[in-house]
Amino acid sequence: MGTVQINLSQTQETLGYLRREIHARRTALRNDTTPAALEKELATWEKMIQELQTESILEKNTRMRLLYEVSQELNTSLDWEETIQTVIDAVIQLTGAERGMLVLKEDDELQTKIIRNATGEPFSEEDLNFSKSIVQRALAEKRPVLTSNAQIDPRFQGSESVFAFGLRSILCAPLIYRNTELGVIYVENRAQTGLFSPDDLAVLATFTNRAAVALANARTHQATNRALTRRVEELTLLQEMVRDLNGRLNFNRVMERSITWAIKATQAANGTLGLPSPEGIQWLSPSTQITPADTETAQKVLRRRQPDFSPERIILPLMRENRPLGVFYLVAGEEPFTAKELELVTRLADNAAIAVENARLYEALLQSNQAKSEFVSLVSHELRTPMTSIHGYSEMLQKGMAGELTAQQQQFVEAIHRNANRMRILVKDLLDISRIESGHLKIQPVATELSAALEAAYQTVEEMLTSKKQNLNVELDENLPALLADPDRLTQVLINLLSNAAKYTPTGGKITVQARFEPDKPSFVHCAVTDTGYGINQVDQRKLFTKFFRSENPAIRQVTGTGLGLAITKNLVELHGGEIWVQSAEDMGTTFFFTMPADCRR
Ligand code: ADP
């Protein structure tokens, strides 16, 4: 814009000069009127007219060029502020006005947007005096208004502002886009009269048409931008809330957090959450002032599943699949609530409801798990005593302690003994699992030699190994330190892994136990139990260590088992602070690795 400079007062000067000349010639002609003198005068006049024409063409060209350049710039910018500044600066330059402003209609009110003077500087608010009656006339008539001296213009005789501010040259053109008046461009010169010419009117009209389009575009762009920014902010907030709420599974905590988020999102002064209860509504935080009338409204909100909205307060139902879970009660802060806050908090409530419901389900699950664990523990205890006596008596019978048995009796007693043993293991495992889940299983770590625990475990699995003709290799590092472990539980871990290795490896297979100690990682001892058995495929490996998991592999299914051993083993290892993992492939054997803390005190 700064590159285009024209001197629009040229024509004015020429006109002044002409007027003075006409006056001088008229006086001269009265005294001396010879044809030669007349001819000379006429030639001078013609020359002057020619000059004036050239000048006005030049000026028109310059105006057109400037107009073109400004229009080009208008079309390239979508920045609202930049666009209106460009518009005003251009108009000031085009008309040679002292200053100009853009007055826009917003919510049916006239708002002064940008005020600039001829040097491109914005000027102060106090200095902002313009004639409202001229602006209104331009808007009403939908065409530019021009006055060369407002002080004596009969159209503005009643206008206080015109007199109060000493307004003289004023040019005001409406900005109309698609039949809607966006506002006006208003330029003025307070000191000079007759500054603007009808030519300026035409230029300004052409210009304002373009400016109106540019402004409308910038305005749409700004509105879209604003809406987009708001949406992004909203989404970010929702995302943060969802992350925050989903990370919690405590019902009360989720409730408290969700109301905190609702307060934050709506910039409410305070708020609380109400839960439906047989006595009515139970409010979560008593600090918010809630009247009995509010409680009644909240009940209505819950019944109707519709929010109750006022600029001072929002009561909103928290719905999940058409079931009301509670109500948000929000009190407006300094800013009253609008439809925007209602919309936002509704969306927020939808998301919060999911987290609230999840927390509720989780708590119900915990409670039912607790009940289940208690039941399992009770039943296992009750079963243990009869199982022990069945096991013991059948063993005595088997050994002939109650007299010689026939071959068939021997066969029956063996079956009783075998099955009683299976049930004993199941009951023991169930008891362990229920203790682990209820957090009642405690370990007592002491310095324990791995070899001792291994010896104890071997006693239990020896029979199985022998019957399956399986070889057990033990490879322990010589410098192996003692472990810091509960000896019985360590033995249990080894029994589980060794008996699995034996169970899931065909007759004649090989089982190896290894333990290594790495002095650069002195806190733990690494143990591994390897077999040459059926192996575990990738899909099954993902499900290992979960309760009741047993492979679908028929070779494995034909061996009896509870599917609890590995879940217990993993828990026992982790209770010691160790880790357990597996390496296996189908038909390629399996290795279970686990770590156990070394007794560093020695
Ligand atoms: P159970 O042996 O009583 O079935 P576990 O929890 O000890 O229960 O083991 C769960 C499942 O993991 C087994 O049923 C089997 O499918 C698989 N599994 C465990 N150890 C091995 C192993 N050494 N080789 C192959 N599969 C195994």
Side-chain angles (χ1 to χ4, degrees), residues 220-338:
T220 316
H221 177 74
Q222 196 194 31
T224 322
N225 235 359
R226 228 186 279 134
L228 205 69
T229 315
R230 217 181 59 214
R231 192 81 190 101
V232 168
E233 277 168 10
E234 259 182 52
L235 284 176
T236 316
L237 188 101
L238 279 178
Q239 207 179 20
E240 277 176 25
M241 182 197 77
V242 167
R243 208 177 296 139
D244 175 42
L245 295 190
N246 284 351
R248 300 168 199 279
L249 282 168
N250 176 298
F251 181 66
N252 284 341
R253 198 72 192 112
V254 169
M255 291 295 216
E256 276 166 26
R257 294 296 301 161
S258 58
I259 188 67
T260 309
W261 281 102
I263 292 172
K264 183 176 173 190
T266 55
Q267 292 178 342
N270 60 59
T272 181
L273 204 136
L275 297 177
S277 78
E279 295 83 45
I281 289 196
Q282 191 194 333
W283 295 103
L284 214 65
S285 83
S287 65
T288 305
Q289 294 289 317
I290 291 170
T291 64
D294 289 334
T295 305
E296 217 166 275
T297 315
Q299 272 165 331
K300 214 180 290 163
V301 162
L302 277 179
R303 269 198 309 278
R304 296 195 185 147
R305 287 142 205 224
Q306 289 291 333
D308 182 88
F309 172 78
S310 75
E312 300 80 41
R313 189 202 60 187
I314 294 177
I315 304 182
L316 182 96
L318 210 68
M319 304 289 297
R320 180 79 189 123
E321 280 162 5
N322 222 19
R323 255 180 330 108
L325 303 178
V327 279
F328 274 154
Y329 179 99
L330 295 163
V331 182
E334 278 173 21
E335 292 284 312
F337 290 139
T338 64

Side-chain angles (χ1 to χ4, degrees), residues 87-122:
V87 167
I88 293 301
D89 285 345
V91 171
I92 291 177
Q93 279 204 48
L94 281 168
T95 57
E98 181 191 20
R99 59 185 201 172
M101 60 190 96
L102 180 80
V103 181
L104 290 183
K105 248 172 97 168
E106 275 173 9
D107 302 328
D108 261 355
E109 294 225 353
L110 292 174
Q111 304 270 358
T112 317
K113 281 294 158 192
I114 294 273
I115 327 151
R116 310 271 282 187
N117 65 17
T119 53
E121 301 292 318

Side-chain angles (χ1 to χ4, degrees), residues 500-501 503-504 531 535-536 544 549-551 556 560-567 590 592:
N500 275 354
K503 280 198 298 187
Y504 306 122
D531 63 53
I536 307 165
L544 274 188
F549 167 74
R550 302 205 71 212
S551 164
I556 284 179
T560 56
T562 61
L564 290 171
L566 282 183
T590 303
F592 280 96

